[in-house]
Amino acid sequence: MHRGNDSHSSPSPADRRLSALVRHLQGSPLDAADPCLAAAPTSAAQISVFDHVVRAPEDPILGVTVAYNKDPSPNKLNLGVGAYRTEEGKPLVLNVVRKAEQMLVNDRSRVKEYLPIVGLADFNKLSAKLILGTDSPAIQDNRVTTVQCLSGTGSLRVGAEFLARHYHQHTIYIPQPTWGNHVKIFGLAGLAVKTYHYYDPATRGLNFKGLLEDLGSAPSGAIVLLHACAHNPTGVDPTAQEWEQIRKLMRSKALLPFFDSAYQGFASGNLDADAQSIRMFVRDGGECLVAQSYAKNMGLYGERVGALSMVCRSADVASRVESQLKLVIRPMYSSPPIHGASIVATILKDRAMFQEWEVELKAMADRIISMRKQLFDALRSRGTPGDWSHIIKQIGMFTFTGLNSAQVAFMTKEYHIYLTSDGRISMAGLSSRTVPHLADAIHAAVTKVA
Ligand code: PLA
């Protein structure tokens, strides 16, 4: 037998080393001249089977917070990640969320059983209505399948994996620029990622001609990632007329829309208005995917609550699609977490709580808009060279300032202001108190750094 033979072969260097160490532990002195010990590793790093692993760079967005956290300056300001802060610079838990959580805690009938693979049924139904509209014919026809996922990111990833497995076209077009994680999410899911023109640095607006040309020359059936509203990082959205032209072009070429809705309610302060682009595509009877996040609009960042809806041609297709989505989700994380989805469902299904949410959401959106105005005024009063009107024209959580990476580095070094190197500022992280500090920093960067 094999084992018998092995036991007669001479011990390996590792075994001999081990025996010498065991003898030492049992009281024998260590013989430094022992060749087995000489062969012993000299540092812990040499022992690791992961010795070849190289250090990865920090994430371009979340790494900004890592750097910010290490800065001891009392004046430091984090305008990197898109996370809402109050006028006092504090994270905000919405009152209506606190209320919903209290109700959930008080309800002793609630248990912590696993959710189904597709998540909480109420949450899914209400999420579809929130994004597609309560009167959506697609929902009435039962041709929408919605699955609860891990916030916006998880919804994009599940949708991407589904498309890689079941859709005939494996190319996805994403706007240039876009949220940095899109490239990785779609690439890792097995899709080929290409870009379409979106932003024109000269006008700081939409490069609509470039967009139409690129989508016009995309292969038939290609997937197109669209930001539903409040485009990240540019803050530039197509107008309703432009959306309509995009829709017509995409439908004429059978391009498949994949909407990323991470900011519903944050752009205009109105949930329905911010879903218009999506509803336009659903109204024409065609198919699309929608990834929804409650991170920003309900302030549920860390709860990781979101949904993927797939609008299909028929109820039959939708139900078969759902059965396959389950096969994507089950080996990925089995089933989603219960708490965040329960908060959302509690708020969405109660009329009074829903209205309370709308008021709080509008207040967040309004505060961001007022920060735009304040920053614009502060730069103007300093006579900062350049046209800063894009600060008030851009939409949503971010201002794409046009500052270059050297100017950003200067602001971080000299003013302890943290933002992504592409010059994106999270307006939600600003307050009346910190606007002057930011305006001073921008003024100095623009006048001192090329
Ligand atoms: N899609 C877009 C366009 C986003 O901007 C973000 C978040 C997401 C999806 C994913 O959000 P979620 O998974 O938390 O729901 N973008 C943030 C945070 C706010 C981040 O980078 O993770 C940003 O600062 O860009």
Side-chain angles (χ1 to χ4, degrees):
M1 261 174 63
H2 258 306
R3 262 210 84 64
N5 284 344
D6 284 353
S7 67
H8 290 297
S9 60
S10 56
S12 71
D15 286 345
R16 273 184 283 138
R17 200 156 55 236
L18 189 62
S19 312
L21 288 169
V22 169
R23 281 199 304 278
H24 171 59
L25 290 172
Q26 286 167 344
S28 312
L30 266 189
D31 177 4
D34 186 335
C36 4
L37 289 178
T42 50
S43 80
Q46 278 173 307
I47 297 171
S48 176
V49 293
F50 306 116
D51 206 20
H52 59 287
V53 174
V54 292
R55 182 173 308 282
E58 290 285 355
D59 181 81
I61 296 175
L62 302 183
V64 172
T65 303
V66 175
Y68 167 85
N69 286 338
K70 286 184 192 155
D71 187 337
S73 166
N75 297 324
K76 64 180 179 174
L77 183 57
N78 187 4
L79 305 176
V81 68
Y84 185 84
R85 296 284 177 268
T86 61
E87 264 292 292
E88 290 71 45
K90 299 271 185 314
L92 177 68
V93 180
L94 301 185
N95 276 327
V96 71
V97 166
R98 292 240 189 255
K99 209 184 267 184
E101 283 190 310
Q102 200 56 59
M103 286 165 66
L104 295 171
V105 169
N106 292 347
D107 181 354
R108 302 291 299 183
S109 71
R110 287 182 52 81
V111 291
K112 304 271 185 198
E113 291 293 282
Y114 289 128
L115 283 180
I117 297 171
V118 296
L120 195 65
D122 267 0
F123 167 86
N124 289 337
K125 232 179 276 163
L126 294 160
S127 293
K129 282 189 175 173
L130 183 72
I131 195 73
L132 302 181
T134 38
D135 53 355
S136 168
I139 296 176
Q140 278 155 21
D141 296 346
N142 258 333
R143 51 188 187 83
V144 183
T145 168
T146 303
V147 293
Q148 181 193 331
C149 295
L150 304 183
S151 213
T153 306
S155 308
L156 291 164
R157 180 64 191 255
V158 168
E161 297 258 358
F162 173 89
L163 292 172
R165 285 190 205 177
H166 300 287
Y167 186 58
H168 69 279
Q169 246 292 357
H170 282 183
T171 304
I172 184 161
Y173 283 76
I174 61 174
Q176 173 58 37
T178 191
W179 180 50
N181 216 13
H182 280 149
V183 183
K184 298 169 207 164
I185 292 170
F186 296 123
L188 283 171
L191 299 174
V193 180
K194 291 196 172 157
T195 59
Y196 61 88
H197 280 96
Y198 189 84
Y199 180 72
D200 182 357
T203 62
R204 296 209 172 103
L206 185 67
N207 178 356
F208 191 51
K209 189 166 162 282
L211 179 152
L212 290 180
E213 275 168 15
D214 289 348
L215 297 189
S217 53
S220 169
I223 309 154
V224 179
L225 189 278
L226 300 160
H227 294 229
C229 69
H231 181 274
N232 177 9
T234 68
V236 173
D237 285 347
T239 62
Q241 290 78 11
E242 286 165 343
W243 270 121
E244 181 53 20
Q245 265 177 275
I246 296 169
R247 187 195 65 77
K248 276 194 190 134
L249 172 68
M250 285 183 57
R251 290 309 193 199
S252 74
K253 298 202 54 174
L255 301 176
L256 182 65
F258 193 160
F259 281 99
D260 182 355
S261 176
Y263 301 96
Q264 189 185 3
F266 252 79
S268 67
N270 181 298
L271 287 157
D272 290 317
D274 289 355
Q276 282 315 312
S277 56
I278 299 172
R279 293 180 192 176
M280 212 179 253
F281 277 77
V282 175
R283 255 197 310 273
D284 68 16
E287 304 185 299
C288 68
L289 288 83
V290 185
Q292 245 175 302
S293 166
Y294 289 96
K296 270 69 73 173
N297 59 13
M298 242 184 234
L300 294 175
Y301 306 89
E303 295 291 355
R304 312 307 295 143
V305 50
L308 172 73
S309 284
M310 291 186 59
V311 180
C312 305
R313 280 279 180 205
S314 70
D316 180 42
V317 173
S319 103
R320 279 183 279 134
V321 163
E322 181 166 312
S323 72
Q324 288 294 341
L325 285 171
K326 286 158 79 170
L327 297 193
V328 172
I329 293 167
R330 172 68 167 146
M332 209 189 267
Y333 53 82
S334 191
S335 63
I338 196 166
H339 187 66
S342 305
I343 296 172
V344 173
T346 303
I347 294 169
L348 295 187
K349 74 177 151 204
D350 181 282
R351 212 178 154 71
M353 289 179 93
F354 187 95
Q355 282 168 356
E356 203 176 325
W357 174 44
E358 286 183 302
V359 171
E360 289 192 77
L361 177 57
K362 175 87 167 51
M364 289 195 284
D366 284 350
R367 202 187 77 74
I368 296 172
I369 291 167
S370 109
M371 286 303 111
R372 291 186 180 282
K373 179 90 179 67
Q374 287 186 31
L375 180 60
F376 176 70
D377 290 346
L379 289 174
R380 217 167 38 177
S381 73
R382 280 164 181 74
T384 307
D387 172 8
W388 296 95
S389 60
H390 56 288
I391 295 179
I392 37 183
K393 282 187 210 142
Q394 291 174 354
I395 295 160
M397 216 166 196
F398 304 107
T399 289
F400 205 44
T401 56
L403 293 164
N404 62 37
S405 58
Q407 291 166 330
V408 170
F410 169 86
M411 286 166 60
T412 304
K413 184 159 177 283
E414 302 297 328
Y415 288 82
H416 305 275
I417 295 178
Y418 289 79
L419 56 147
T420 51
S421 61
D422 59 1
R424 185 191 83 166
I425 284 179
S426 171
M427 298 306 286
L430 265 182
S431 66
S432 306
R433 190 178 54 80
T434 52
V435 162
H437 183 51
L438 175 61
D440 287 345
I442 293 178
H443 186 86
V446 170
T447 48
K448 290 186 185 160
V449 184

